[in-house]
Amino acid sequence: MPLNVGEITYTNILPLYYYVNRSKLAKNDISFVPQVPAHLNLAMKTGVIDVGAISSFAYGQNYKEYELFPDLSVSSFGKVGSIFLFSKLPIEKLNGASIALTSSSATSVHLLKIILKEFYSINANYETVKPELQQMLKSNEACLLIGDDAIEALWNKDDENLYMYDLGEIWTKFTNLPMTFAVVAVRKAILAKERSAVSILFDEMKESKELSLRNGFLPMIKDIKTKHRGNYRFWENYFAGLDYHFQENQFRGLQHYYELCFKHGFIEQVPKLSFVNDYAHTHSM
Ligand SMILES: C=C(O[C@@H]1C=C(C(=O)O)C=C[C@H]1O)C(=O)O
């Protein structure tokens, strides 16, 4: 049976995918589906994809159906560098304002709602739209962008008077915890049937992360620069602010996020983090 792997089309996830041996995986009938997180979250839920990086919020919604790959995530402690609220007003003044949310995200849109309500006691009106800064700000006081859309907006915004807030920075300021934006999950139903293919994929992703960290992301950045603006220093800085591990302190941050998602009615239960059997101990199946 083929194994369909979701691949988030943002630069932030690249270290987990950049070095996977795609021809080796193709021989094992493993193929990739590149898409934005919101699309992959849904594809995973409906079984169009079987495994891959998804929004950590989506794991919280469907955790009973999924298992996590250990020690892989997209997290940050403080600034994340690509999840921004762009606002015509200071954040404290957003009560009653209308805010446009990117249709590509799940974790960050709920994180924004939590930050505003829980930390600033702000009630706002939200609408979900395509991630285009100028368009979003036409009829809204503020907008949330993530991933490469947020980085592009950072470079292209012509309004110097916009306030900009990094959600990772605000989260850590108020909680002193890291935030985990993406996790790597597999559908339990496929795990039962495709254990060895899933295991091959996990080893490749783990290896990709380790190699990326070992070489300081440099060959990858050279490649990124052919597609995006930004000099070496910009991208080195960006990756230095991201954390690809998923360990005790990330668990605490994510657990707190889930508790607040539950408190605000975004999820029905506070999920347990459940890892693919044995991986956490042996890293093999
Ligand atoms: C760090 C980021 O994390 C992303 C944010 C996500 C979300 O908000 O649902 C999902 C996957 C992550 O890759 C980013 O997009 O900048």
Side-chain angles (χ1 to χ4, degrees):
M1 241 174 83
L3 193 70
N4 296 316
V5 185
E7 181 174 15
I8 294 176
T9 47
Y10 291 150
T11 307
N12 63 65
I13 202 84
L14 263 187
L16 306 187
Y17 287 80
Y18 191 70
Y19 291 107
V20 298
N21 184 337
R22 287 168 196 253
S23 51
K24 175 180 163 191
L25 294 181
K27 281 185 201 128
N28 287 278
D29 219 357
I30 301 172
S31 56
F32 290 83
V33 179
Q35 262 297 346
V36 295
H39 188 105
L40 295 177
N41 299 340
L42 183 65
M44 183 89 162
K45 188 175 157 64
T46 54
V48 173
I49 61 165
D50 307 304
V51 55
I54 54 169
S55 301
S56 49
F57 181 81
Y59 175 79
Q61 283 179 308
N62 302 296
Y63 72 100
K64 289 181 183 155
E65 315 300 326
Y66 301 161
E67 303 267 19
L68 294 165
F69 280 6
D71 209 18
L72 297 179
S73 82
V74 179
S75 301
S76 77
F77 184 80
K79 281 186 185 162
V80 50
S82 54
I83 301 185
F84 298 126
L85 178 73
F86 294 93
S87 178
K88 296 174 190 166
L89 302 169
I91 195 166
E92 298 81 6
K93 300 253 169 74
L94 284 173
N95 201 28
S98 72
I99 301 179
L101 303 172
T102 169
S103 54
S104 303
S105 155
T107 307
S108 311
V109 295
H110 294 96
L111 180 63
L112 176 67
K113 290 177 181 177
I114 288 170
I115 284 174
L116 292 181
K117 182 80 189 149
E118 186 77 20
F119 303 157
Y120 290 91
S121 303
I122 281 170
N123 290 306
N125 303 307
Y126 298 99
E127 64 162 347
T128 304
V129 294
K130 274 200 301 205
E132 288 165 5
L133 181 78
Q134 313 303 347
Q135 197 61 33
M136 289 167 118
L137 288 178
K138 262 192 191 148
S139 51
N140 297 284
E141 273 86 35
C143 71
L144 174 73
L145 289 171
I146 71 163
D148 294 356
D149 301 325
I151 296 173
E152 290 292 331
L154 185 71
W155 290 329
N156 296 333
K157 70 179 167 57
D158 44 19
D159 182 353
E160 292 304 319
N161 297 320
L162 282 182
Y163 295 87
M164 242 183 77
Y165 299 96
D166 183 310
L167 297 201
E169 186 176 17
I170 301 182
W171 170 259
T172 301
K173 180 174 139 198
F174 280 90
T175 62
N176 201 27
L177 289 166
M179 177 64 205
T180 295
F181 301 96
V183 292
V184 183
V186 54
R187 292 191 304 111
K188 279 183 188 169
I190 200 78
L191 191 59
K193 293 184 216 142
E194 292 294 333
R195 249 188 133 67
S196 101
V198 172
S199 177
I200 293 169
L201 175 71
F202 173 62
D203 287 344
E204 287 290 324
M205 290 183 78
K206 197 162 46 111
E207 184 60 30
S208 180
K209 169 186 137 179
E210 277 158 18
L211 202 53
S212 300
L213 291 172
R214 252 200 325 272
N215 65 27
F217 310 103
L218 285 180
M220 201 176 76
I221 292 176
K222 197 169 168 208
D223 216 16
I224 293 167
K225 278 173 51 26
T226 64
K227 296 176 204 121
H228 295 281
R229 283 155 59 176
N231 55 24
Y232 271 101
R233 183 180 288 202
F234 173 87
W235 289 110
E236 267 188 300
N237 215 21
Y238 180 57
F239 287 115
L242 293 170
D243 189 345
Y244 294 96
H245 301 299
F246 194 33
Q247 291 172 357
E248 216 38 64
N249 50 343
Q250 281 87 31
F251 299 165
R252 278 205 306 278
L254 189 55
Q255 200 64 36
H256 189 48
Y257 169 76
Y258 285 144
E259 280 159 12
L260 291 172
C261 281
F262 176 71
K263 176 178 169 188
H264 290 273
F266 302 144
I267 51 176
E268 284 166 12
Q269 276 173 300
V270 177
K272 285 192 188 64
L273 300 180
S274 163
F275 291 90
V276 169
N277 261 347
D278 302 336
Y279 270 11
H281 309 295
T282 64
H283 288 286
S284 64
M285 287 167 108

